[in-house]
Amino acid sequence: MKSLEALVRPNIWSLAPYSSARNEYAGHTAHVFLDANENPYNKPYNRYPDPLQTDLKAAISKVKGVSPEKIFLGNGSDEAIDLCYRVFCEPKVDNAVAIEPTYGMYKVCADINDVEYRPVLMDEHFQITHDKLLDACDDHTKLIWICSPNNPSGNNINRDEVVSVLKSFQGIVVVDEAYSDFSREKTFREELDVYPNIIVLNTFSKAWGCAGIRLGMAFASKEIIDLFNKVKYPYNVNSLTQEHALEALKDPQEVREWIRLLLLERGRMMKAFIDLPICVKVYPTDANFFLAKMTDAQAVYDYLVQKGIIVRNRTRVKLCKDCLRITIGTRGENAELIGALRQYR
Ligand SMILES: *Cc1c(COP(=O)(O)O)cnc(C)c1O
């Protein structure tokens, strides 16, 4: 890996971050807060939230096995994705490489930040080799995006290839493990100390069932996390979110039970799809969704919409012609989808 200073945008490296009232007193115990121009009434929402989410990170640290100084929390993973560009990529100069097809936000954030985005097409099994990714890189490539399990294909990216990228690439490798709770593959979150250039993304939106509270996680070296904390909005995770996440973290057993149920349903659903005459193929998956190739995805999608059932039509995505992406729901929801598809024409 190049030095962090060589990878970070010069203005960010030299940035003096905003210092909030709550930053400045930290470390002392106090009971009268007349420092932040808050209203003393309307407790507890009158107070600004903890800018570094200390209690929440302590709880996440226990569940995820990562020490708090290696954790960044943001307004969804989307904030962490955007911060990767804002911290590392000089607009109009630097570029980012990514597998294709993959999660759409990597490209949207590149476009917003005026950073060149270089998609590298996978093979028909949605796999990629490290040399294909590295061939797309040049001196101005700061980031490589690898989503595993990948969205929309659902499969894990071959671990040996990811390891080779981590070892050979001189910039930052972002491994988005939003769906890793549904997979048996070893996570890269456990390997933070092996690869100084890795950023691993996790989220509360999928297995944890908390998409509404908007809470995303990034795990990386303390040095990288410090840069994220320097650039983020001071109070980027609100009090209600911090409170709810702390509550959710008290019961990881419930999350494990949801995962067990969803994996059971996933197996049933994939089998039911294979038996449908209008289904050509289902792709292997390690996530809470699967990709199904249909005889006519658009027609089936439109038919389902009429029935009030919404799936994701991916037919215009590369390598996904005539594919629908099916999220696993409750047993009842899944039965409704299968029932409707069995009645199709
Ligand atoms: C759903 C998803 C996320 C989660 O994004 P949030 O902003 O945390 O809700 C992240 N990455 C991928 C690949 C996803 O599919």
Side-chain angles (χ1 to χ4, degrees):
M1 168 190 188
K2 289 182 194 164
S3 75
L4 209 49
E5 184 172 2
L7 289 172
V8 172
R9 294 168 64 197
N11 62 314
I12 300 300
W13 189 258
S14 59
L15 177 72
Y18 176 74
S19 180
S20 69
R22 286 298 118 87
N23 285 131
E24 290 182 0
Y25 90 92
H28 305 274
T29 51
H31 63 285
V32 179
F33 291 100
L34 304 176
D35 58 343
N37 299 347
E38 295 152 334
N39 188 323
Y41 306 112
N42 199 37
K43 283 183 169 74
Y45 303 113
N46 60 328
R47 296 299 175 193
Y48 281 104
D50 174 2
L52 291 174
Q53 309 99 20
T54 313
D55 294 345
L56 183 51
K57 281 180 187 167
I60 290 172
S61 172
K62 285 204 186 106
V63 172
K64 297 284 183 178
V66 175
S67 59
E69 73 272 12
K70 294 177 184 170
I71 303 174
F72 164 83
L73 300 180
N75 187 347
S77 312
D78 294 343
E79 183 180 0
I81 292 167
D82 189 52
L83 277 171
C84 288
Y85 288 108
R86 292 168 66 202
V87 166
F88 293 106
C89 298
E90 195 61 32
K92 297 183 199 293
V93 175
D94 292 329
N95 65 72
V97 165
I99 58 172
E100 164 95 343
T102 194
Y103 186 46
M105 277 306 283
Y106 312 144
K107 175 167 174 10
V108 170
C109 288
D111 291 347
I112 289 169
N113 286 287
D114 208 354
V115 170
E116 185 197 345
Y117 185 80
R118 300 181 173 184
V120 182
L121 195 64
M122 293 192 280
D123 66 23
E124 71 271 29
H125 305 292
F126 297 105
Q127 285 298 345
I128 192 116
T129 57
H130 65 280
D131 44 299
K132 267 200 197 162
L133 282 170
L134 295 172
D135 282 351
C137 298
D138 63 19
D139 279 353
H140 287 292
T141 306
K142 295 292 186 71
L143 305 171
I144 296 182
W145 295 95
I146 298 175
C147 183
S148 181
N150 188 34
N151 179 2
S153 53
N155 62 304
N156 274 306
I157 305 304
N158 192 334
R159 191 180 175 86
D160 295 340
E161 300 300 332
V162 181
V163 166
S164 296
V165 171
L166 282 162
K167 284 181 176 162
S168 329
F169 181 52
Q170 296 300 298
I172 302 292
V173 182
V174 191
V175 182
D176 188 343
E177 295 189 331
Y179 299 98
S180 61
D181 300 280
F182 301 101
S183 168
R184 271 192 288 263
E185 179 76 86
K186 189 169 151 60
T187 67
F188 279 98
R189 186 184 74 239
E190 300 159 65
E191 315 257 293
L192 291 183
D193 297 335
V194 183
Y195 308 109
N197 57 340
I198 197 172
I199 297 175
V200 176
L201 303 183
N202 274 194
T203 179
F204 273 77
S205 299
K206 307 289 155 65
W208 285 84
C210 289
I213 71 171
R214 308 306 302 129
L215 186 61
M217 298 161 267
F219 306 107
S221 70
K222 178 183 186 300
E223 291 71 24
I224 291 175
I225 296 301
D226 286 347
L227 287 159
F228 275 34
N229 285 335
K230 189 158 98 155
V231 176
K232 76 180 184 72
Y233 290 158
Y235 303 109
N236 62 326
V237 180
N238 69 70
S239 310
L240 295 166
T241 295
Q242 293 191 42
E243 213 169 278
H244 187 91
L246 270 169
E247 214 40 56
L249 283 158
K250 285 182 185 154
D251 199 358
Q253 192 49 44
E254 185 179 31
V255 175
R256 260 176 246 133
E257 178 57 16
W258 289 337
I259 293 168
R260 192 187 67 80
L261 283 172
L262 290 170
L263 294 184
L264 213 70
E265 280 297 305
R266 187 181 77 187
R268 284 170 19 92
M269 286 283 277
M270 291 171 77
K271 200 167 165 304
F273 260 74
I274 292 167
D275 292 341
L276 291 169
I278 52 170
C279 177
V280 178
K281 172 178 185 175
V282 300
Y283 290 86
T285 180
D286 290 287
N288 66 332
F289 62 85
F290 65 93
L291 200 61
K293 191 182 272 300
M294 313 300 282
T295 48
D296 184 346
Q298 187 65 50
V300 175
Y301 175 82
D302 293 341
Y303 163 82
L304 288 172
V305 169
Q306 267 192 356
K307 300 244 165 192
I309 300 170
I310 313 300
V311 298
R312 197 83 197 266
N313 184 5
R314 297 283 76 186
T315 191
R316 274 174 287 277
V317 171
K318 292 252 169 69
L319 302 177
C320 298
K321 176 136 182 31
D322 273 318
C323 286
L324 299 178
R325 194 192 67 193
I326 314 293
T327 306
I328 307 303
T330 62
R331 182 141 199 163
E333 290 167 335
N334 301 336
E336 219 182 298
L337 170 62
I338 293 296
L341 289 173
R342 284 184 181 144
Q343 282 171 23
Y344 180 83
R345 261 190 297 262

